[in-house]
Amino acid sequence: MKIALGSDHGGFDLKNAIVAHLKQKGYDTLDCGTYDTNSCDYPDFAVPVCDAVVSGTADFGVLICGTGIGMSLTANKINGIRCALVSDVFSAKATREHNDANVMALGARVIGDCLAIALVDAFLETKFSNGARHIKRIEKIMNLEKR
Ligand code: RB5
């Protein structure tokens, strides 16, 4: 499984920790930057991650900024993306089971590294339920892209 990751300067250190964790677990990773702690703009890194997911180059995306909010706002503007900003394990699992989220956003200034890694593991290890009621609701979300 291939995971695309992106951060701004606020999420740079946590991104590196997550990349190392994922590699150690045997995932393929695609690091879309940023590559240093210089101040930068989170949309510039959200877009390549989301493009990789939509194109099928990556299976899932992980986006990290200070709060996770800017990254999630950006990601959810991109057709085909369902990005969930999560800070608890229950939601990280539920957004895979119920929303079939394909990108997760994390706030590096909100949560610690250990919790972030637990959230990434929960997200990546949980499958979509394929429940009819969830499929119907996801279709309603995705149809909004046609408005
Ligand atoms: C950068 O200072 C900060 O605004 C950004 O990382 C993020 O929190 C925005 O949503």
Short mmCIF file of all heavy atoms in Angstrom, two decimals, residues 82 94-101 127-143:
data_model
loop_
_atom_site.label_atom_id
_atom_site.label_comp_id
_atom_site.label_asym_id
_atom_site.label_seq_id
_atom_site.Cartn_x
_atom_site.Cartn_y
_atom_site.Cartn_z
N ARG A 82 -12.14 12.84 0.04
CA ARG A 82 -12.90 12.91 1.29
C ARG A 82 -11.86 12.92 2.41
O ARG A 82 -11.30 11.87 2.75
CB ARG A 82 -13.87 11.72 1.43
CG ARG A 82 -15.01 11.74 0.42
CD ARG A 82 -15.90 10.53 0.55
NE ARG A 82 -15.17 9.30 0.31
CZ ARG A 82 -14.83 8.84 -0.90
NH1 ARG A 82 -15.16 9.51 -1.99
NH2 ARG A 82 -14.17 7.70 -1.03
N ALA A 94 -13.79 5.44 12.42
CA ALA A 94 -15.16 5.66 11.94
C ALA A 94 -15.17 6.34 10.57
O ALA A 94 -16.04 6.03 9.74
CB ALA A 94 -15.95 6.49 12.95
N THR A 95 -14.22 7.22 10.34
CA THR A 95 -14.25 7.91 9.04
C THR A 95 -13.85 6.98 7.90
O THR A 95 -14.24 7.20 6.76
CB THR A 95 -13.39 9.20 9.07
OG1 THR A 95 -13.77 10.03 7.97
CG2 THR A 95 -11.89 8.90 9.02
N ARG A 96 -13.12 5.93 8.19
CA ARG A 96 -12.88 4.90 7.17
C ARG A 96 -14.13 4.02 7.02
O ARG A 96 -14.57 3.73 5.91
CB ARG A 96 -11.67 4.05 7.56
CG ARG A 96 -10.34 4.76 7.42
CD ARG A 96 -9.92 4.96 5.95
NE ARG A 96 -9.97 3.68 5.26
CZ ARG A 96 -10.74 3.43 4.20
NH1 ARG A 96 -11.50 4.36 3.65
NH2 ARG A 96 -10.73 2.23 3.67
N GLU A 97 -14.69 3.57 8.14
CA GLU A 97 -15.83 2.65 8.08
C GLU A 97 -17.06 3.32 7.48
O GLU A 97 -17.77 2.71 6.69
CB GLU A 97 -16.19 2.18 9.49
CG GLU A 97 -15.21 1.19 10.08
CD GLU A 97 -15.51 0.87 11.53
OE1 GLU A 97 -16.40 1.51 12.14
OE2 GLU A 97 -14.82 -0.03 12.07
N HIS A 98 -17.32 4.57 7.83
CA HIS A 98 -18.59 5.21 7.45
C HIS A 98 -18.45 6.15 6.25
O HIS A 98 -19.39 6.24 5.46
CB HIS A 98 -19.15 6.03 8.63
CG HIS A 98 -19.61 5.19 9.77
ND1 HIS A 98 -20.55 5.63 10.68
CD2 HIS A 98 -19.28 3.94 10.17
CE1 HIS A 98 -20.77 4.68 11.59
NE2 HIS A 98 -19.99 3.65 11.30
N ASN A 99 -17.34 6.89 6.20
CA ASN A 99 -17.20 7.93 5.16
C ASN A 99 -16.28 7.50 4.02
O ASN A 99 -16.15 8.24 3.05
CB ASN A 99 -16.63 9.23 5.75
CG ASN A 99 -17.28 9.65 7.05
OD1 ASN A 99 -16.60 9.81 8.06
ND2 ASN A 99 -18.58 9.84 7.02
N ASP A 100 -15.63 6.36 4.17
CA ASP A 100 -14.62 5.92 3.19
C ASP A 100 -13.64 7.06 2.89
O ASP A 100 -13.29 7.31 1.74
CB ASP A 100 -15.28 5.42 1.89
CG ASP A 100 -14.34 4.56 1.06
OD1 ASP A 100 -13.30 4.11 1.58
OD2 ASP A 100 -14.65 4.34 -0.13
N ALA A 101 -13.22 7.75 3.94
CA ALA A 101 -12.26 8.85 3.77
C ALA A 101 -10.99 8.31 3.12
O ALA A 101 -10.52 7.22 3.45
CB ALA A 101 -11.92 9.48 5.12
N LYS A 127 -11.09 -0.80 7.24
CA LYS A 127 -11.69 -0.86 5.90
C LYS A 127 -13.06 -0.17 5.91
O LYS A 127 -13.74 -0.11 6.94
CB LYS A 127 -11.87 -2.32 5.47
CG LYS A 127 -10.55 -3.04 5.24
CD LYS A 127 -10.79 -4.32 4.46
CE LYS A 127 -9.52 -5.14 4.27
NZ LYS A 127 -8.28 -4.42 4.17
N PHE A 128 -13.46 0.30 4.75
CA PHE A 128 -14.81 0.83 4.56
C PHE A 128 -15.81 -0.30 4.79
O PHE A 128 -15.59 -1.43 4.33
CB PHE A 128 -14.94 1.41 3.15
CG PHE A 128 -16.32 1.93 2.83
CD1 PHE A 128 -16.97 2.80 3.69
CD2 PHE A 128 -16.96 1.55 1.67
CE1 PHE A 128 -18.25 3.27 3.41
CE2 PHE A 128 -18.23 2.02 1.36
CZ PHE A 128 -18.88 2.88 2.24
N SER A 129 -16.92 0.02 5.45
CA SER A 129 -17.90 -1.01 5.80
C SER A 129 -18.63 -1.56 4.58
O SER A 129 -19.15 -2.67 4.63
CB SER A 129 -18.94 -0.42 6.76
OG SER A 129 -19.72 0.54 6.06
N ASN A 130 -18.71 -0.74 3.51
CA ASN A 130 -19.52 -1.09 2.34
C ASN A 130 -21.00 -1.15 2.66
O ASN A 130 -21.78 -1.72 1.88
CB ASN A 130 -19.05 -2.39 1.69
CG ASN A 130 -18.10 -2.13 0.53
OD1 ASN A 130 -18.43 -1.36 -0.38
ND2 ASN A 130 -16.92 -2.71 0.58
N GLY A 131 -21.40 -0.60 3.77
CA GLY A 131 -22.82 -0.59 4.13
C GLY A 131 -23.62 0.27 3.16
O GLY A 131 -23.17 1.36 2.77
N ALA A 132 -24.82 -0.23 2.79
CA ALA A 132 -25.64 0.48 1.79
C ALA A 132 -25.95 1.90 2.24
O ALA A 132 -25.94 2.84 1.43
CB ALA A 132 -26.92 -0.31 1.53
N ARG A 133 -26.24 2.08 3.53
CA ARG A 133 -26.61 3.43 3.99
C ARG A 133 -25.42 4.38 3.89
O ARG A 133 -25.56 5.57 3.61
CB ARG A 133 -27.18 3.40 5.41
CG ARG A 133 -26.19 3.06 6.51
CD ARG A 133 -26.92 2.88 7.84
NE ARG A 133 -26.02 2.79 8.98
CZ ARG A 133 -25.34 1.70 9.31
NH1 ARG A 133 -25.45 0.60 8.58
NH2 ARG A 133 -24.55 1.68 10.37
N HIS A 134 -24.21 3.83 4.09
CA HIS A 134 -23.02 4.70 4.00
C HIS A 134 -22.70 5.02 2.53
O HIS A 134 -22.31 6.14 2.21
CB HIS A 134 -21.83 4.02 4.68
CG HIS A 134 -22.04 3.82 6.14
ND1 HIS A 134 -22.41 4.84 6.99
CD2 HIS A 134 -21.97 2.70 6.92
CE1 HIS A 134 -22.54 4.38 8.21
NE2 HIS A 134 -22.29 3.08 8.20
N ILE A 135 -22.88 4.04 1.67
CA ILE A 135 -22.66 4.28 0.23
C ILE A 135 -23.60 5.37 -0.27
O ILE A 135 -23.19 6.29 -0.98
CB ILE A 135 -22.85 2.97 -0.56
CG1 ILE A 135 -21.69 2.00 -0.24
CG2 ILE A 135 -22.93 3.23 -2.07
CD1 ILE A 135 -21.88 0.60 -0.77
N LYS A 136 -24.86 5.28 0.15
CA LYS A 136 -25.85 6.29 -0.28
C LYS A 136 -25.43 7.69 0.18
O LYS A 136 -25.50 8.66 -0.57
CB LYS A 136 -27.22 5.92 0.30
CG LYS A 136 -28.34 6.86 -0.11
CD LYS A 136 -29.67 6.44 0.50
CE LYS A 136 -29.67 6.69 2.00
NZ LYS A 136 -30.98 6.50 2.64
N ARG A 137 -24.95 7.78 1.42
CA ARG A 137 -24.58 9.10 1.97
C ARG A 137 -23.32 9.64 1.28
O ARG A 137 -23.21 10.84 1.02
CB ARG A 137 -24.36 8.98 3.48
CG ARG A 137 -25.66 8.69 4.21
CD ARG A 137 -25.46 8.16 5.61
NE ARG A 137 -26.72 7.72 6.19
CZ ARG A 137 -26.82 6.93 7.25
NH1 ARG A 137 -25.73 6.49 7.86
NH2 ARG A 137 -28.00 6.57 7.69
N ILE A 138 -22.38 8.75 1.00
CA ILE A 138 -21.15 9.18 0.31
C ILE A 138 -21.49 9.67 -1.10
O ILE A 138 -20.95 10.67 -1.58
CB ILE A 138 -20.12 8.04 0.30
CG1 ILE A 138 -19.61 7.79 1.72
CG2 ILE A 138 -18.96 8.36 -0.64
CD1 ILE A 138 -18.86 6.48 1.88
N GLU A 139 -22.42 8.96 -1.75
CA GLU A 139 -22.84 9.41 -3.10
C GLU A 139 -23.43 10.82 -3.03
O GLU A 139 -23.19 11.64 -3.92
CB GLU A 139 -23.85 8.42 -3.69
CG GLU A 139 -23.19 7.16 -4.23
CD GLU A 139 -24.18 6.09 -4.67
OE1 GLU A 139 -25.42 6.29 -4.51
OE2 GLU A 139 -23.72 5.05 -5.14
N LYS A 140 -24.17 11.10 -1.97
CA LYS A 140 -24.75 12.44 -1.82
C LYS A 140 -23.66 13.49 -1.64
O LYS A 140 -23.77 14.61 -2.15
CB LYS A 140 -25.74 12.48 -0.66
CG LYS A 140 -27.02 11.71 -0.96
CD LYS A 140 -28.08 11.88 0.13
CE LYS A 140 -29.36 11.16 -0.29
NZ LYS A 140 -30.48 11.43 0.62
N ILE A 141 -22.62 13.12 -0.92
CA ILE A 141 -21.48 14.05 -0.77
C ILE A 141 -20.82 14.28 -2.12
O ILE A 141 -20.59 15.43 -2.54
CB ILE A 141 -20.43 13.50 0.22
CG1 ILE A 141 -20.99 13.37 1.63
CG2 ILE A 141 -19.19 14.40 0.23
CD1 ILE A 141 -20.05 12.66 2.61
N MET A 142 -20.52 13.17 -2.82
CA MET A 142 -19.74 13.29 -4.04
C MET A 142 -20.54 13.99 -5.14
O MET A 142 -19.96 14.67 -6.00
CB MET A 142 -19.24 11.93 -4.51
CG MET A 142 -18.38 11.19 -3.47
SD MET A 142 -17.24 12.23 -2.52
CE MET A 142 -15.96 12.50 -3.73
N ASN A 143 -21.86 13.85 -5.10
CA ASN A 143 -22.70 14.53 -6.10
C ASN A 143 -22.61 16.06 -5.96
O ASN A 143 -22.91 16.79 -6.91
CB ASN A 143 -24.15 14.07 -5.99
CG ASN A 143 -24.37 12.72 -6.66
OD1 ASN A 143 -23.58 12.34 -7.52
ND2 ASN A 143 -25.40 12.00 -6.25
#
